[in-house]
Every structure is written in C-alpha cells, then in structure tokens.
C-alpha cells in the first residue's frame, strides 16, 4: 500500500482547520480510547412499542457482600456462584438501567437514576431524546438511585411529564422522619396509583412488594408480547434466581422479597415474558428459564 499523505489523513479523520493548524492528528486508536464503551442506550422493539434502556452509569468496583447477598452464613456459597460466572466478588460493579417506553402516543420513563452522580441525561441525549420529550415519569420505588434524577436545582427535570408513583410507596417515604428531598419537592405533582393501575395504554403497574413496602414493577404489552421492567424486584441477576431464598441487604422485608421473586420467576419462565432488571448486567434485557429447582437469567440476543 502507498503511504497516506497528510492531506488525505486530515480528510479521512474529518479534522478541523484548528487541528490542522496545530499540527496534531489524533490516531484512530487515540480517538477510540477517548470514547466511552458504547453510547449508553439499547433500543429494541416490543410489538408496536419502542423500548430504550438507558444506562445511568456504573459504580466503581467494590465488595459484593453483604449487600448483594445478606443471608447469614451463605456468603461463601454466593461468592462461589459469582466466580463460577466469571465475576470477582471483591470487584463487584453495579449497573443502573432506567428505561423509556415509546408507545407512539407517549414516552414513559421508568425511574430517573442517581441524578448528578449518574449518566442518565447524557445517555438520554445519545438516544436522541430530551427531558422535555418525556410525557410520564414512573417511579418504581423511593430509593435514591431511582429518584435522584427527579429534581435539579429545586425544579423538576422532566418538567412536561406527569409523575406517577405507588400510593403505598409514597405514603411510606413521606411518613419518615427525614423523607427523601426529591419526593418531598414533587409530592403535589405525583399521581398516586395502586397495583394493576394503567399507566398508559399497554403499560400497567405490577404489585411487587418486599424490596420496599410498596414497590411496583411495570408490565408492557404490545403485539402479543409482554415485558416486565422489574425495578429492584428482580434482585441480582444470578444469585436471586439460582438461590430461591436469596435476598439483598437493602430488601425492606426479605421474606416478602423472596416470595415476590419466586412468583415473578415462575410466571416469567412459564409465559416466556421478557424482563429488564434495573441492576442486571448491561443492558439487563433477557428471559428467565427453569434450572432444576431454581432459575437462571438468559440475556436476550443483542441486536444493533
């Protein structure tokens, strides 16, 4: 091959006049190393609806336990299961996976991430969406990594949206001695719903208590297909399926959380329901299948 001239290199790289004048031409490797791994969103179809999972980023590596497996005396067993799945328990990385449902009539955002500590708004923009485009914000529960993006500088981030939350969930958090500031700020904007309520045509709230007292997952149905965004009702994508009695250190009612997950896994496996887990490995989209007396998560085929 003949050598590429400086003029051709500049043209190929799309370099600006300023870069050319400075005499600095970034190599392809330098350009790639400066970019994040992926654009922070995963878009796919469910019937006539378009679903977009948005990454709110990840935590730095840390210890998985006890938070990700709080059963007394079970950590060694849980650690072995993680290592069997090529995960190092002392280098555990947590994901945060909100999702937008575009029904063609409304754009519904499920949970808002961590706020300024997260990447939701950046990745929303990468997906071609603005906060003003969101018509409904649905909150699965009141933990900070789900409500952190509701408010910025005292104002709602999704100013055009109707805000929806479970009645039991909101009442619980507002009754605390120090309620979450973001819920207090928007308490008069929230539409309070009960399990089974229709959030929008084809989108309903699912009763999934245990992680919190009034946790609600979201069911999406279109074109004969069904998906559940589990919020935190799904727990951990390996441990909560492999070990029927597994629970998290931040489950409000461990026994109830375990019972809720058992019900979800049984139905998802039997009915081939697609699921999205808020803390599952990115992008958190897949299926549940039986594995002996327990279950396992099967990631959906990734399509570009």
């Amino acid at each position: 091959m003949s050598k590429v001239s400086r003029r051709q290199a500049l043209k190929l790289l799309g370099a600006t006049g300023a870069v050319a004048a400075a005499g600095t031409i970034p190599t392809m490797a330098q350009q790639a190393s400066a970019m994040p791994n992926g654009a922070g969103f995963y878009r796919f179809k469910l019937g006539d609806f378009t679903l977009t999972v948005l990454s709110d980023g990840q935590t730095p590596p840390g210890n998985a336990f006890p938070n990700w497996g709080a059963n007394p005396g079970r950590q060694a067993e849980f650690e072995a299961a993680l290592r069997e799945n090529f995960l190092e328990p002392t280098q555990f990385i947590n994901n945060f996976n909100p999702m937008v449902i575009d029904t063609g009539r409304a754009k519904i955002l499920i949970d808002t991430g961590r706020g300024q500590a997260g990447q939701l708004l950046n990745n929303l923009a990468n997906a071609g969406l603005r906060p003003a485009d969101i018509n409904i914000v649905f909150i699965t529960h009141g933990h900070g990594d789900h409500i952190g993006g509701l408010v910025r500088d005292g104002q709602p981030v999704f100013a055009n949206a109707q805000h929806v939350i479970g009645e039991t969930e909101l009442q619980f958090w507002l009754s605390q001695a120090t309620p979450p500031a973001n819920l207090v700020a928007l308490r008069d904007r929230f539409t309070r719903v009960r399990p089974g309520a229709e959030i929008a045509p084809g989108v309903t709230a699912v009763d999934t208590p245990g992680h919190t007292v009034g946790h609600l997952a979201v069911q999406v149905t279109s074109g004969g297909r069904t998906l559940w965004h589990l919020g935190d009702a799904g727990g951990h994508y390996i441990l909560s399926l492999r070990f029927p009695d597994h629970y998290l250190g931040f489950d409000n009612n461990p026994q109830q959380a375990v019972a809720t997950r058992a019900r979800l896994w049984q139905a998802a496996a039997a009915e081939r329901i697609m699921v999205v887990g808020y803390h599952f490995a990115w992008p958190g989209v897949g299926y549940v299948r039986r594995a002996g007396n327990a279950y396992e998560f099967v990631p959906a085929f990734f399509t570009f």
Side-chain angles (χ1 to χ4, degrees):
M1 292 180 63
S2 61
K3 292 183 178 180
V4 178
S5 71
R6 177 178 172 82
R7 183 184 297 275
Q8 290 171 314
L10 287 170
K11 184 176 181 181
L12 288 170
L13 291 172
T16 65
V19 171
T24 303
I25 306 173
T27 67
M28 295 294 286
Q30 287 171 331
Q31 291 183 61
S33 67
M35 295 294 290
N37 186 21
F41 70 93
Y42 179 57
R43 181 178 288 127
F44 61 102
K45 298 288 287 187
L46 186 85
D48 296 326
F49 294 175
T50 299
L51 309 185
T52 306
V53 181
L54 300 162
S55 176
D56 189 50
Q58 298 177 321
T59 58
N63 289 320
F65 304 109
N67 278 344
W68 289 94
N71 306 61
R74 300 291 298 280
Q75 278 69 48
E77 188 178 7
F78 295 160
E79 287 180 7
L82 292 184
R83 290 193 175 100
E84 183 183 335
N85 285 273
F86 308 99
L87 297 174
E88 172 50 53
T90 63
Q91 297 294 308
F92 184 83
I93 295 173
N94 189 17
N95 290 280
F96 307 86
N97 304 326
M99 187 176 81
V100 172
I101 306 162
D102 186 346
T103 69
R105 296 184 177 183
K107 293 180 177 65
I108 304 151
L109 173 64
I110 302 173
D111 288 336
T112 64
R114 298 168 291 166
Q116 294 185 354
Q119 298 296 317
L120 176 66
L121 294 184
N122 290 340
N123 291 328
L124 189 75
N126 287 346
L129 296 167
R130 304 166 302 161
D133 295 330
I134 302 300
N135 306 112
I136 299 171
V137 172
F138 181 83
I139 299 298
T140 62
H141 66 293
H143 284 164
D145 56 328
H146 297 255
I147 66 170
L150 280 171
V151 175
R152 177 173 289 186
D153 299 326
Q155 299 299 316
V157 172
F158 303 96
N160 296 338
Q162 176 190 12
H163 289 66
V164 182
I165 192 171
E167 180 178 44
T168 300
E169 185 73 5
L170 186 60
Q171 287 177 348
F172 170 81
W173 289 108
L174 293 181
S175 71
Q176 302 304 297
T178 306
N182 282 5
L183 295 185
V184 173
L186 299 183
R187 63 187 303 165
D188 295 330
R189 291 181 64 110
F190 276 112
T191 298
R192 309 178 188 199
V193 299
R194 296 181 178 180
E198 184 180 75
I199 303 165
V203 184
T204 57
V206 180
D207 191 22
T208 50
H211 181 68
T212 59
V213 296
H215 189 289
L216 295 175
V218 177
Q219 178 170 297
V220 186
T221 304
S222 177
R225 300 182 63 196
T226 297
L227 173 144
W228 288 337
H229 192 294
L230 299 167
D232 282 2
H236 188 269
Y237 72 103
I238 295 170
L239 302 177
S240 296
L241 288 100
R242 176 176 291 194
F243 303 100
D245 60 341
H246 171 269
Y247 59 87
L248 308 176
F250 25 75
D251 283 336
N252 174 266
N253 185 325
Q255 290 70 37
Q256 190 177 43
V258 165
T260 289
R261 287 169 190 139
R263 171 170 52 87
L264 291 172
W265 303 151
Q266 191 281 328
E271 301 173 32
R272 302 178 69 86
I273 295 170
M274 183 178 277
V275 300
V276 177
Y278 192 81
H279 295 298
F280 286 15
W282 173 259
V285 184
Y287 298 90
V288 175
R289 71 180 175 195
R290 276 204 172 271
N293 294 324
Y295 299 89
E296 61 184 2
F297 176 71
V298 182
F301 186 85
F302 194 101
T303 56
F304 289 96

